[in-house]
Amino acid sequence: MLASVDGAIGPAEEARIPVSDEGLLRGDGAFEVMRLYQGRPFAFEEHLARLARTCAGLRLELDLDTWREEIAALLECNGPAECLLRLVLTRGGRRIALIEPAPRHKPVARVATITYAPNRVLDGLKTLSYAGNMLATRIAKEGGYDEALLVTPHGRILEGPTWSFFWVRDGRLFTPPLSERILGSITRERILAETDVIEETCTLDDLRGAEEAFIASTTRTVQPIAAVDDLTLPAAPGPVTLKTRETMDQAIERELGVVA
Ligand SMILES: Cc1ncc(COP(=O)(O)O)c(C=O)c1O
């Protein structure tokens, strides 16, 4: 797998940044993850726009023109692979672009709720400070689940540590609103643009009446949820989940001309 650090391309395992970089020492920096289909990134401009928003929020200088050139050079070297592209901008000013293998996910996920309070000062920003998100996933896995579902101390469902949450009631699709201080997920935005979705807060009690639920993210597109804690959803995947996945596959095909 290849990496580019400030435009120098080489094997990822040989790429280096100074250990004094506060991106490493304090998790102070911005990142994005895109999916490459036959080597081409889906929703590239949306990801760069979110990176710009994160950098503005963090007061981190971003030279987008240089980034674009460096990314283009890396993608050219990488060729038509099915994989991920991670972009990281550190407080020390390092521009890291990293090719990663596409992760394998189970066909359906069982999720465990984990209590979580979003960090208000980082609202809407995709920063390197993800230890809490990673720990939530680890705790869920320790309990025998596949994923964590983050829930406020008052019992409102937010999102997963790296994904957005959707559920279906009476055949209609719902997702929590951004005012819940969840990330402005690119996949979520696309689903909202392409299908009828109601943005509504969701409690665990609300979920008891749900017919389906699913995970949405760049790396998985749409992944059905089979269970939330001890609650088994009636269908995984159900018809709305399948339809949404098909809609997203069509959006990818329309944009990139490849079959997702
Ligand atoms: C907290 C959080 N929510 C949602 C998502 C999904 O966002 P996207 O659709 O842009 O991949 C991510 C992605 O990593 C995330 O970190």
Side-chain angles (χ1 to χ4, degrees):
M1 292 284 149
L2 292 174
S4 160
V5 179
D6 296 339
I9 298 173
E13 61 277 13
E14 289 171 20
R16 299 281 181 270
I17 63 161
V19 292
S20 55
D21 193 318
E22 297 213 336
L24 171 70
L25 299 179
R26 300 193 189 276
D28 188 355
F31 83 103
E32 279 297 322
V33 176
M34 305 176 206
R35 182 139 168 204
L36 304 183
Y37 296 87
Q38 294 181 23
R40 294 166 53 216
F42 175 63
F44 185 62
E45 291 303 329
E46 286 104 308
H47 282 282
L48 285 196
R50 187 172 63 188
L51 182 67
R53 285 199 302 277
T54 299
C55 290
L58 288 179
R59 280 68 167 166
L60 195 56
E61 203 176 312
L62 171 69
D63 178 352
L64 252 189
D65 292 339
T66 304
W67 258 119
R68 282 181 188 276
E69 285 171 22
E70 293 175 359
I71 294 164
L74 181 67
L75 294 184
E76 175 79 31
C77 280
N78 188 50
E82 304 300 320
C83 50
L84 304 179
L85 170 66
R86 180 180 298 268
L87 301 180
V88 178
L89 183 60
T90 68
R91 179 59 60 186
R94 299 283 73 77
R95 289 182 305 277
I96 303 165
L98 194 59
I99 302 290
E100 296 179 353
R104 291 194 161 276
H105 294 293
K106 290 183 175 174
V108 297
R110 293 175 59 255
V111 308
T113 55
I114 303 285
T115 305
Y116 185 90
N119 185 340
R120 293 195 172 209
V121 76
L122 295 178
D123 224 7
L125 309 181
K126 193 162 167 67
T127 78
L128 294 177
S129 305
Y130 257 47
N133 302 44
M134 298 300 100
L135 178 57
T137 306
R138 218 163 275 128
I139 292 170
K141 287 188 174 173
E142 281 169 7
Y145 290 84
D146 303 307
E147 299 284 343
L149 177 59
L150 307 177
V151 177
T152 69
H154 298 99
R156 291 204 314 276
I157 293 173
L158 298 168
E159 60 185 341
T162 61
W163 44 269
S164 300
F165 179 73
F166 287 77
W167 78 101
V168 177
R169 195 182 60 222
D170 300 329
R172 293 185 308 166
L173 187 55
F174 294 82
T175 197
L178 293 185
S179 54
E180 292 287 55
R181 303 177 188 282
I182 56 176
L183 185 73
S185 144
I186 308 293
T187 317
R188 177 186 180 281
E189 288 305 316
R190 284 292 183 112
I191 294 173
L192 257 67
E194 303 267 347
T195 61
D196 280 335
V197 186
I198 301 163
E199 294 179 84
E200 197 173 284
T201 53
C202 179
T203 65
L204 284 170
D205 269 352
D206 293 330
L207 264 198
R208 301 209 174 268
E211 293 127 28
E212 307 171 38
F214 65 80
I215 284 171
S217 81
T218 293
T219 65
R220 313 155 200 252
T221 315
V222 167
Q223 182 186 20
I225 294 177
V228 177
D229 296 336
D230 58 0
L231 173 75
T232 300
L233 276 303
V240 179
T241 304
L242 287 173
K243 182 84 188 76
T244 309
R245 184 191 283 160
E246 191 187 314
T247 303
M248 282 305 293
D249 286 349
Q250 285 165 355
I252 293 163
E253 193 173 345
R254 233 179 18 247
E255 183 174 310
L256 299 178
V258 300
V259 177

